[in-house]
Amino acid sequence: MRIDDLDTPVVLIDLDRLEANITRFQAYLDQHGIANRPHIKTHKIPQIARMQMAAGAVGITCQKLGEAEVMADAGIDDIFIPYNIVGSAKLERLAALARRVRLSVTADSSAVVIGLGAALSGTGLELPVLVECDTGMGRCGVQTPCEAVELALQIAHTPGLRFGGLMTYPSSSLIGPFMHEAVRLLRERGLDVERVSGGGTATMWSAHEHPEVTEYRAGMYVYGDRYTLRAGAIRLEECALTILTTIVSRPTPDRGVIDGGSKTFSSDLLGLEGHGLILEYPEARIVSLSEEHGVVDFSGCAQKPAIGERVRVLPNHCCVVSNLFDEVIGVRNGKVETIWQVAARGAVR
């Protein structure tokens, strides 16, 4: 089957670019002695996770239990969930998953540690728990190195748990001073820091500038999107994911409508103008989205498309696109080579 035979809207994955992206970043981390633990929330596809593992990743990162359970079912046996697991239902699932794979998690409060300890108590397991540190994101995480030490000590003294290191996102300029001080204080208290986990595709090529970081979590590097393009983390010719759409309306000379809206691209802007880059018409702007319509301003284009023409769109944010489609189409040299189910899409059990 050729690409021209596919119905739209459809997610296309350029397999040559995907493979090159995986190889390129793995080689960079290997060169600098940093472990690679890619974030699968970008693709949610076990086959791609296995490609990353085969290239040299030490394990994977999942953002929620459902993703981790799907990946465990697919045979991935080293999984990190950098998220506070709270509530009896999730903790019961976490304990069950810990029996199946090498699992590690994070915590940023005493309450989370108590819950993890209660879930693992009596199982005979020892769950590594990393302390999440806020180094500028303003989301989750302990606020100071001293708080990190206090929580690490609580983890170390909780049956069923083991202090597994420190984690933060993103790897910003603030990570160095915070982690340096936290590691120093932890060692003074007799605690070994086996992992310092950093992450973020936008800053991935500067991972080596943070000597405290021993492993790195990036997700979007496998696909690329307008956000990572603007950040300089990936070039346009390296972007592997696009959405093939069709021009379904030309109600005015300058306005067109594609058959992809918020249920195709999501509404994420990430500080960008417009909702995606149309590769065939880079001067065009996708100015608004409804559920199944994308309204495009073609006024800046010398040539304008006709109804029925098909165009490829580079989305602002590839991760959310993955969560909107049941399958993606792997293509090479204009032909369909494989169809992958987005197995961990919205996975909640």
Side-chain angles (χ1 to χ4, degrees):
M1 180 186 294
R2 299 192 61 82
I3 293 174
D4 291 343
D5 299 321
L6 297 170
D7 198 4
T8 62
V10 63
V11 176
L12 304 180
I13 307 299
D14 185 305
L15 296 175
D16 288 330
R17 294 182 180 187
L18 173 71
E19 293 162 2
N21 291 341
I22 291 172
T23 300
R24 184 185 307 111
F25 189 53
Q26 183 67 52
Y28 163 77
L29 292 178
D30 288 346
Q31 176 187 354
H32 294 285
I34 303 170
N36 185 20
R37 188 177 288 276
H39 213 316
I40 63 84
K41 72 180 179 66
T42 294
H43 55 75
K44 298 174 177 282
I45 296 171
Q47 292 92 329
I48 297 179
R50 285 197 287 267
M51 292 168 63
Q52 292 170 305
M53 294 288 290
V58 299
I60 63 169
T61 304
C62 297
Q63 199 63 14
K64 57 184 182 178
L65 273 168
E67 291 175 347
E69 288 162 340
V70 169
M71 293 295 154
D73 290 345
I76 307 294
D77 64 358
D78 193 319
I79 300 175
F80 179 37
I81 306 176
Y83 198 92
N84 288 332
I85 306 297
V86 176
S88 58
K90 285 188 175 66
L91 288 167
E92 184 178 341
R93 289 165 59 195
L94 183 76
L97 186 61
R99 294 184 178 93
R100 302 172 55 198
V101 301
R102 293 191 299 276
L103 185 66
S104 53
V105 298
T106 58
D108 72 349
S109 70
S110 176
V112 173
V113 172
I114 290 170
L116 292 171
L120 273 294
S121 177
T123 64
L125 302 172
E126 190 176 62
L127 179 68
V129 181
L130 286 70
V131 174
E132 181 169 1
C133 305
D134 180 3
T135 57
M137 182 67 174
R139 194 167 59 186
C140 299
V142 297
Q143 299 298 296
T144 67
C146 289
E147 289 180 18
V149 173
E150 292 173 8
L151 197 59
L153 288 168
Q154 182 184 353
I155 294 165
H157 293 122
T158 300
L161 307 183
R162 173 168 60 84
F163 171 59
L166 304 170
M167 168 265 171
T168 192
Y169 173 86
S171 293
S172 68
S173 59
L174 300 176
I175 188 175
F178 191 110
M179 293 302 178
H180 180 80
E181 179 66 5
V183 169
R184 184 186 71 81
L185 293 173
L186 285 162
R187 287 175 176 163
E188 284 183 357
R189 301 298 295 270
L191 288 178
D192 182 45
V193 184
E194 61 186 71
R195 283 163 65 188
V196 176
S197 184
T201 296
T203 55
M204 65 185 190
W205 300 116
S206 61
H208 67 285
E209 297 175 6
H210 305 291
E212 299 81 9
V213 172
T214 64
E215 77 170 21
Y216 206 83
R217 311 176 321 277
M220 292 186 284
Y221 79 97
V222 293
Y223 284 162
D225 53 20
R226 281 184 80 205
Y227 173 73
T228 51
L229 185 65
R230 182 188 62 179
I234 198 165
R235 297 177 299 176
L236 183 59
E237 60 268 26
E238 295 166 342
C239 291
L241 180 149
T242 55
I243 299 105
L244 183 66
T245 65
T246 300
I247 306 291
V248 295
S249 178
R250 285 294 315 283
T252 74
D254 289 334
R255 187 165 78 242
V257 179
I258 55 176
D259 61 347
S262 61
K263 290 182 176 178
T264 296
F265 302 105
S266 94
S267 55
D268 279 11
L269 287 173
L270 300 180
L272 296 158
E273 182 182 0
H275 295 273
L277 172 67
I278 299 178
L279 299 183
E280 294 83 359
Y281 298 92
E283 297 83 10
R285 293 186 305 118
I286 304 176
V287 294
S288 67
L289 302 176
S290 52
E291 290 182 51
E292 304 293 353
H293 296 85
V295 178
V296 186
D297 178 3
F298 287 103
S299 62
C301 303
Q303 300 292 324
K304 298 177 176 61
I307 291 174
E309 184 174 336
R310 290 144 72 90
V311 294
R312 291 197 198 192
V313 180
L314 180 69
N316 290 346
H317 190 184
C318 57
C319 301
V320 289
V321 170
S322 291
N323 207 49
L324 293 169
F325 284 82
D326 289 330
E327 62 185 27
V328 300
I329 311 299
V331 299
R332 203 187 306 268
N333 299 322
K335 294 182 179 180
V336 173
E337 185 170 304
T338 189
I339 299 175
W340 284 324
Q341 298 302 307
V342 186
R345 174 184 177 241
V348 245
R349 298 186 179 185

